[in-house]
């Protein structure tokens, strides 16, 4: 099971990803924590009961939360990490790297429908840039020292609801962060529908 731990690092989180022959364990947070990142990782490992004597530690900087003012020209299109396309809420960038690459291809193929290639590309990646801008706001709320713990307490024990929100809001991006309340409404409708279906079955 994939596990995510909030509170193990300021304004970030820790994770445990299972693999066939072990685990990938890590912590992530803002650059201002970077000097203590390895120390915080080792503390996290000790908390999990993992012996750190033979652990291989690797780290990398991820450009999240902002992107260059100019993402394209007539001859250059920035995609993935080069464009700063990383979700500010969870630090995930592989999805945006693949998606922005696809959008770059579409922009090149459709460039004749726009004034220039830059305009075509900016239109195609509108979803990505919107999610990042909205994600910056959500990041501040999620990691607020007062609001963050309240949100975690609300979700604690409600695994079905948490899984639904994460799947639609973070994993698949079926909803943008600005549509959070619409997502709640959708969840409640689906929950009622399942409950009604259960009554009919029985």
């Amino acid at each position: 099971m994939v596990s995510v731990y909030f509170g193990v690092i300021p304004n970030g989180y820790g994770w445990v990803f299972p693999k066939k022959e072990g685990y990938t364990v890590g912590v992530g947070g803002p650059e201002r924590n970077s000097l203590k990142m390895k120390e915080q990782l080792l503390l996290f490992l000790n908390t999990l009961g993992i012996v750190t004597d033979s652990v291989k530690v690797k780290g990398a900087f991820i450009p999240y939360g902002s992107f260059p003012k100019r993402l394209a020209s007539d001859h250059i299109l920035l995609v993935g990490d080069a464009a700063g396309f990383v979700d500010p809420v969870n630090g995930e960038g592989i999805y945006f790297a693949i998606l922005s690459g696809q959008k770059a291809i579409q922009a090149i193929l459709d460039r004749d429908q726009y004034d220039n290639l830059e305009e075509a590309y900016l239109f195609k990646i509108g979803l990505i840039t919107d999610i990042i801008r909205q994600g910056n706001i959500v990041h501040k709320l999620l990691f607020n020292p007062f609001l963050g713990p309240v949100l975690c307490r609300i979700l604690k024990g409600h695994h079905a609801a948490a899984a639904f929100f994460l799947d639609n809001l973070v994993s698949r991006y079926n909803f943008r962060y600005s549509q959070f309340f619409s997502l709640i409404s959708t969840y409640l409708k689906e929950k009622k529908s399942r409950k009604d279906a259960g009554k009919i079955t029985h």
Side-chain angles (χ1 to χ4, degrees):
M1 181 181 295
V2 173
S3 301
V4 177
Y5 299 81
F6 290 96
V8 299
I9 186 170
N11 295 316
Y13 61 92
W15 63 83
V16 179
F17 296 158
K19 295 184 174 181
K20 287 184 179 180
E21 299 180 357
Y23 299 88
T24 295
V25 183
V27 293
E31 182 181 0
R32 59 180 176 273
N33 299 334
S34 62
L35 294 177
K36 298 182 179 179
M37 195 71 75
K38 184 175 180 179
E39 177 184 331
Q40 290 169 320
L41 172 61
L42 295 177
L43 287 173
F44 180 48
L45 292 171
N46 289 328
T47 301
L48 297 173
I50 298 174
V51 179
T52 59
D53 295 342
S54 59
V55 170
K56 294 181 180 179
V57 178
K58 296 181 180 179
F61 288 101
I62 300 174
Y64 81 93
S66 63
F67 43 84
K69 290 183 178 180
R70 193 169 188 189
L71 294 166
S73 69
D74 288 335
H75 304 289
I76 299 173
L77 300 177
L78 298 181
V79 301
D81 283 4
F85 291 158
V86 177
D87 191 317
V89 177
N90 57 29
E92 206 284 320
I94 295 176
Y95 174 83
F96 288 146
I98 296 172
L99 183 60
S100 60
Q102 293 172 338
K103 297 301 182 183
I105 294 171
Q106 292 175 11
I108 293 170
L109 294 175
D110 297 342
R111 65 180 300 169
D112 292 340
Q113 301 175 23
Y114 300 84
D115 291 339
N116 50 56
L117 181 60
E118 182 176 5
E119 180 183 303
Y121 185 55
L122 292 179
F123 179 80
K124 302 289 186 182
I125 61 172
L127 170 65
I128 299 175
T129 52
D130 281 352
I131 289 174
I132 292 174
R133 290 190 183 98
Q134 295 166 14
N136 282 325
I137 298 173
V138 175
H139 178 94
K140 293 177 181 179
L141 296 175
L142 182 62
F143 295 106
N144 180 281
F146 302 103
L147 296 178
V150 172
L151 180 60
C152 288
R153 283 197 296 270
I154 291 173
L155 291 177
K156 186 176 181 180
H158 296 83
H159 303 299
F164 181 86
F165 291 141
L166 290 173
D167 189 44
N168 284 279
L169 198 61
V170 177
S171 298
R172 302 177 189 274
Y173 295 104
N174 292 331
F175 289 76
R176 303 189 190 190
Y177 289 120
S178 60
Q179 296 173 300
F180 181 72
F181 292 105
S182 297
L183 181 63
I184 294 175
S185 175
T186 301
Y187 171 74
L188 294 176
K189 288 178 181 177
E190 290 191 12
K191 183 178 179 181
K192 183 179 185 301
S193 178
R194 290 194 300 270
K195 185 176 181 181
D196 292 343
K199 288 181 179 179
I200 294 173
T201 303
H202 293 87

